[in-house]
Amino acid sequence: MKGIVFTEFLELVEEKFGLKTVQEIIDSCNLATNGVYTAVGTYNHKEMFEMVEKLSELKSIPVPDLLTEYGRFFFKVLSVNYPQFMDKNDLFTFLNSIDGYIHPEVLKLYPDAELPRFTAALKGNDEMQLIYESSRKMAHFAIGLILGASAYYKEEMEVAIVKEEEGGKKVIISLQRK
Ligand code: HEM
């Protein structure tokens, strides 16, 4: 997993809970990196889960909630760093472009990026279904990104998990306009 996912996670933890919590997480996790990440490096995604689980324990916040919150925050980071992908007219067109355009472009920039697969199905003007597939089981992070995108495009959506399969490797997500 690319370093930017780690550096921005620690940035969010610092912003929300302070530097002391960042240090506590790094000290109590068994990290091969010792918590030192560069944005362009590549690291084992398991370190991310270790840190999120530790934060969940320390602050008594469920892991899925933390991942969703992190996804929302990460969308803002992406929109600042990659404005070229944000030029779509509406949210559904944008979400429809993740799998066929955005993530393939990300792979050109970072050939070692590990990306999920998304199958999008539009159901009229107010409803969309996205099927998330990835061995990393980060659908809650995806939901946070979708909520971040919905705030960016100023289109309010109810986002929910319809069905989880294969222990979270395949997750059906629904979007319904509010
Ligand atoms: C709402 C839109 C998006 C969604 C739902 C989404 C979803 C995800 C998810 C769930 C992951 C975690 C990896 C996994 O689950 O296998 C991921 C990774 C990533 N995505 Fe996206 N993404 C979105 C938009 C973007 C955009 C606009 C960019 C801009 C370039 C981007 C760049 C990346 C990068 C760099 C990673 C990390 C890859 C790695 O660590 O190896 N994504 N994305």
Side-chain angles (χ1 to χ4, degrees), residues 1-69:
M1 184 167 271
K2 297 309 295 175
I4 188 172
V5 185
F6 294 84
T7 53
E8 292 300 332
F9 172 71
L10 293 175
E11 188 67 38
L12 174 66
V13 175
E14 184 180 342
E15 207 175 273
K16 290 244 164 191
F17 304 106
L19 209 49
K20 198 166 153 262
T21 303
V22 173
Q23 203 54 53
E24 235 176 311
I25 291 174
I26 292 171
D27 289 346
S28 53
C29 289
N30 193 11
L31 307 171
T33 56
N34 274 322
V36 181
Y37 305 99
T38 65
V40 291
T42 302
Y43 309 91
N44 191 331
H45 71 274
K46 289 191 182 134
E47 290 211 350
M48 183 75 207
F49 279 99
E50 223 182 310
M51 291 195 289
V52 173
E53 272 159 26
K54 183 53 70 179
L55 181 64
S56 160
E57 221 177 280
L58 286 174
K59 302 293 171 190
S60 305
I61 303 172
V63 168
D65 294 3
L66 288 173
L67 282 173
T68 304
E69 198 48 40

Side-chain angles (χ1 to χ4, degrees), residues 90-136:
D90 60 88
L91 178 68
F92 288 170
T93 308
F94 170 77
L95 294 176
N96 219 349
S97 74
I98 305 170
D99 208 60
Y101 174 61
I102 299 178
H103 279 168
E105 287 298 313
V106 171
L107 263 187
K108 285 187 201 163
L109 293 169
Y110 311 108
D112 57 353
E114 298 172 308
L115 299 161
R117 195 141 54 102
F118 276 105
T119 314
L122 202 56
K123 300 186 163 185
N125 288 330
D126 299 325
E127 207 183 327
M128 186 182 231
Q129 195 176 76
L130 282 170
I131 303 176
Y132 163 92
E133 285 172 277
S134 164
S135 60
R136 285 164 295 285

